[in-house]
Amino acid sequence: MFVMCKREFISLFKGIKSIIMIAILFAVSYYAAKFSSVLSSGVELTAGEAEDIHTIGLLSVILLLGQLFVFGLSHDTINREIHERTMRFLVTRASRSTILFGKFLGIWFFWLFCIVVSFLLISIFSKKFDLFIFSQTMSLVTYQAALAVLLSVLIPRPGYTMFLGNILGLMLPAFGFWAAFSPNGWVNWMKYFIPFYYLERDDFTFLVILGLAGMMLLAAYAVFRRREC
Amino acid sequence: MNAIEAKQLSKAYGAHQVVMGMDLAVRKGEIFGFLGRNGAGKSTFINMLTGIVSSSSGTYSLLGVEGPDSKVLKRVGVMPDYSSLYGSWTALDHLRFFSELSGARASKEKCLEVLRSVDLLSHANKKAGKFSFGMKKKLGIAQAIIHDPELIFLDEPTSGMDAESVILIHRLIKEFQKQGKTVFMTSHNLDEVEKICSRIAIMRDGIIDKIGTMEELRAFYRSTITVKIKHSTVPKQEQAKLEQWLESAGSLLEHGDTYTVITISDENKIAEMIRAFTQCKTDVLRVEVEEPSLEEIFLNE
């Protein structure tokens, strides 16, 4: 699993897309933290919100564009290998669980690296490393990575996942917030399957997001273990 | 112990049965040739054994371990058909990664040695995307053997290769056998299979139609042994007698003054035939025996 994880982790740093995304993430984190006093002066904030104001830039990017970023880089993590038949070399050497979970961990560590660096940049101005917000952010990224892996297993053609990934990446945050705050019973129940409901609380319910990610990964594995390569 | 053992192994796609309850045992150290027309089910059979597709029913074991088992895959090398390499990786990158994935990262020296064995040493640092079809095939073989496996599956290993490379790969396969490895290969080149395989199976419509050594397969077709005899002129008074004898021995295809072609069912009749010529005061100058080729056996329905 370590070999697959390492390969996926390193491959995510290659390519112009990832460089642009990392640049956006770091730039937004740094400048939003740097000018957080300007942001806080314009709006009335509670003491807790004022304390976390340095992370607002990073959280906004992750909440609104995170899914798009993760899909952008990893929508084809499994299906491209099946489509191009390089997967044949992998499944004849390693178990399918090793391949799937190894790839997921590679994606997860890539985002862990990016988020840690972003938080370190923020800490230059906030003078602290907020572990709670960091954990919440990582739980959201875990969910997003698991969804990308699931999509890549369910849809065999990389072209389709790219298209669907872009649509979902843009729609999911909007839909998530709508489901979380809408009184409409037809939509409201869906909030339990989307991370935003768990993130708006200041307690450890965000851990449920990890459970959702785990379920998506198990579903992806159930499909992948029967998939012809 | 058998290197490969399949019992009632089947694969169906909906109502379409591709492999139908196949039983097969491949002994350790064999070079086993697997033949069949396109769509006969041979690639599906290999793909089931190597974990590329799952079987619908039946069991199999590789190197004594019941499959599918990911641990045994580390002792198995596979060159799958219809596979492609990573275009942006060099040949060395491929071998390093695949050896690592098999449990032991090969040293640079080991990678170069394997590349040398498939005549790709001078292309070690070239990207696979720039390789010709034949070179990709060679790299496919190299990645299959980089971790020194005990059992090697080669699906059409020499298709698309130039003659010189084909000879090189044949030598390499024979070398594997000397090292005690088992090779299971498919090929459309019947001549190749006939030359290098210890046993052969012919698959037809999802089942094994014939299996055995070349000798055993030929035994099914002894009726088609063709004997060409070059002889001295048969004396006129002996001609009718000899002709009568030949007609009783087999199917006379050609009978001239100095040349006779006959098909017989039993090779023991060759000696009797020579005696018959001698008794008819005719010298036998040359005898050519044509046994059925694998091509004839393969094409025989």
Side-chain angles (χ1 to χ4, degrees):
Chain A
M1 196 177 297
F2 172 74
V3 180
M4 284 307 304
C5 171
K6 188 178 81 175
R7 186 195 141 211
E8 191 68 24
F9 178 75
I10 293 168
S11 72
L12 279 171
F13 283 98
K14 293 173 182 169
I16 190 74
K17 262 199 296 187
S18 49
I19 292 167
I20 291 170
M21 284 178 200
I22 292 169
I24 291 173
L25 208 64
F26 290 175
V28 170
S29 303
Y30 181 80
Y31 286 106
K34 191 174 181 180
F35 299 112
S36 57
S37 54
V38 180
L39 291 168
S40 58
S41 64
V43 200
E44 226 173 86
L45 300 168
T46 63
E49 285 169 340
E51 202 179 320
D52 300 335
I53 193 70
H54 295 92
T55 56
I56 190 128
L58 175 67
L59 289 181
S60 306
V61 171
I62 296 292
L63 283 170
L64 299 174
L65 297 174
Q67 190 67 69
L68 189 69
F69 283 5
V70 175
F71 274 146
L73 291 181
S74 305
H75 69 91
D76 57 355
T77 183
I78 299 284
N79 62 9
R80 182 164 298 283
E81 301 243 29
I82 296 176
H83 187 68
E84 292 180 355
R85 295 186 182 265
T86 45
M87 186 61 87
R88 290 183 162 214
F89 290 117
L90 305 182
V91 295
T92 53
R93 285 172 190 275
S95 70
R96 294 188 181 218
S97 57
T98 300
I99 296 166
L100 188 104
F101 296 117
K103 276 180 171 278
F104 169 77
L105 282 178
I107 298 168
W108 191 84
F109 277 114
F110 169 80
W111 286 104
L112 176 72
F113 171 82
C114 293
I115 303 288
V116 165
V117 174
S118 299
F119 267 80
L120 289 174
L121 287 173
I122 291 166
S123 69
I124 296 171
F125 301 99
S126 67
K127 310 288 182 212
K128 65 170 186 173
F129 192 102
D130 194 324
L131 266 177
F132 183 76
I133 297 178
F134 173 77
S135 307
Q136 277 190 319
T137 313
M138 277 316 298
S139 72
L140 178 62
V141 168
T142 306
Y143 178 95
Q144 291 166 338
L147 186 58
V149 170
L150 177 63
L151 198 74
S152 186
V153 169
L154 290 177
I155 300 167
R157 293 185 78 95
Y160 294 163
T161 44
M162 188 171 74
F163 175 72
L164 198 68
N166 287 339
I167 300 287
L168 268 178
L170 292 169
M171 299 283 287
L172 206 66
F175 181 76
F177 283 115
W178 181 39
F181 298 108
S182 171
N184 185 337
W186 291 99
V187 178
N188 193 255
W189 63 272
M190 286 190 218
K191 68 184 179 191
Y192 299 111
F193 300 100
I194 296 170
F196 306 103
Y197 169 71
Y198 304 103
L199 290 172
E200 57 156 333
R201 293 152 170 255
D202 279 340
D203 54 21
F204 283 92
T205 45
F206 73 85
L207 293 174
V208 175
I209 299 169
L210 298 179
L212 291 173
M215 281 194 280
M216 283 192 286
L217 281 178
L218 288 177
Y221 175 62
V223 176
F224 183 53
R225 67 196 288 257
R226 302 289 301 172
R227 177 62 52 84
E228 191 169 317
C229 299
Chain B
M1 187 179 71
N2 288 321
I4 303 170
E5 212 167 308
K7 284 179 187 160
Q8 288 299 301
L9 202 61
S10 303
K11 180 70 186 176
Y13 293 98
H16 180 52
Q17 193 84 21
V18 183
V19 177
M20 290 186 270
M22 250 178 62
D23 290 316
L24 180 71
V26 176
R27 292 186 282 267
K28 260 193 160 182
E30 270 190 320
I31 301 179
F32 194 90
F34 205 49
L35 294 174
R37 292 177 181 174
N38 292 333
K42 54 187 193 305
S43 282
T44 305
F45 182 69
I46 286 195
N47 290 346
M48 280 193 283
L49 296 178
T50 54
I52 293 172
V53 299
S54 54
S55 58
S56 302
S57 63
T59 59
Y60 68 89
S61 66
L62 301 179
L63 302 167
V65 182
E66 192 122 327
D69 184 290
S70 56
K71 279 180 195 154
V72 81
L73 286 179
K74 304 205 183 303
R75 294 159 61 200
V76 176
V78 185
M79 191 203 114
D81 198 14
Y82 304 117
S83 51
S84 59
L85 299 150
Y86 298 100
S88 59
W89 290 13
T90 65
L92 261 179
D93 291 338
H94 278 90
L95 297 193
R96 279 198 197 120
F97 172 68
F98 287 128
S99 63
E100 210 174 348
L101 197 58
S102 291
R105 188 185 167 99
S107 64
K108 190 178 178 185
E109 289 70 35
K110 166 80 178 168
C111 293
L112 293 175
E113 183 194 320
V114 170
L115 286 174
R116 187 184 295 115
S117 72
V118 294
D119 196 26
L120 279 182
L121 186 60
S122 53
H123 304 285
N125 292 308
K126 193 173 166 181
K127 287 187 175 172
K130 290 180 180 170
F131 277 15
S132 69
F133 184 76
M135 286 160 76
K136 283 179 183 166
K137 279 268 176 186
K138 286 182 190 174
L139 185 54
I141 295 171
Q143 67 76 32
I145 60 171
I146 184 66
H147 54 299
D148 208 18
E150 295 163 51
L151 169 62
I152 306 165
F153 288 92
L154 302 172
D155 205 349
E156 312 258 352
T158 57
S159 68
M161 278 188 192
D162 58 81
E164 201 180 329
S165 301
V166 170
I167 293 166
L168 177 90
I169 299 304
H170 287 177
R171 278 191 199 144
L172 194 63
I173 292 172
K174 283 181 179 168
E175 191 57 40
F176 296 153
Q177 192 181 32
K178 280 183 197 161
Q179 292 165 7
K181 298 178 195 297
T182 311
V183 180
F184 186 96
M185 62 179 278
T186 70
S187 177
H188 282 302
N189 185 344
L190 303 178
D191 191 42
E192 166 179 275
V193 173
E194 194 170 352
K195 264 187 205 160
I196 65 171
C197 293
S198 359
R199 280 203 308 149
I200 297 155
I202 299 175
M203 200 173 173
R204 212 182 298 277
D205 301 327
I207 52 165
I208 289 181
D209 188 36
K210 300 173 189 84
I211 185 166
T213 59
M214 260 322 284
E215 263 318 296
E216 285 165 347
L217 289 179
R218 279 188 185 119
F220 291 117
Y221 296 91
R222 286 299 187 211
S223 59
T224 58
I225 297 174
T226 305
V227 185
K228 292 177 181 175
I229 304 165
K230 192 179 173 190
H231 47 81
S232 59
T233 309
V234 184
K236 272 195 178 167
Q237 64 276 20
E238 300 290 341
Q239 270 178 6
K241 186 180 158 192
L242 181 65
E243 212 166 301
Q244 199 182 355
W245 189 92
L246 289 171
E247 275 168 1
S248 67
S251 176
L252 197 56
L253 302 177
E254 206 181 319
H255 181 52
D257 278 352
T258 59
Y259 201 72
T260 300
V261 182
I262 185 170
T263 57
I264 52 171
S265 57
D266 183 358
E267 64 182 352
N268 293 330
K269 287 215 165 131
I270 298 171
E272 287 176 36
M273 210 181 305
I274 294 168
R275 275 197 295 274
F277 272 94
T278 314
Q279 278 163 14
C280 294
K281 299 180 180 75
T282 307
D283 295 328
V284 174
L285 306 174
R286 194 158 121 189
V287 179
E288 277 176 44
V289 180
E290 275 183 15
E291 290 199 281
S293 66
L294 185 56
E295 191 176 310
E296 284 164 317
I297 294 168
F298 182 71
L299 291 172
N300 193 295
E301 293 281 352

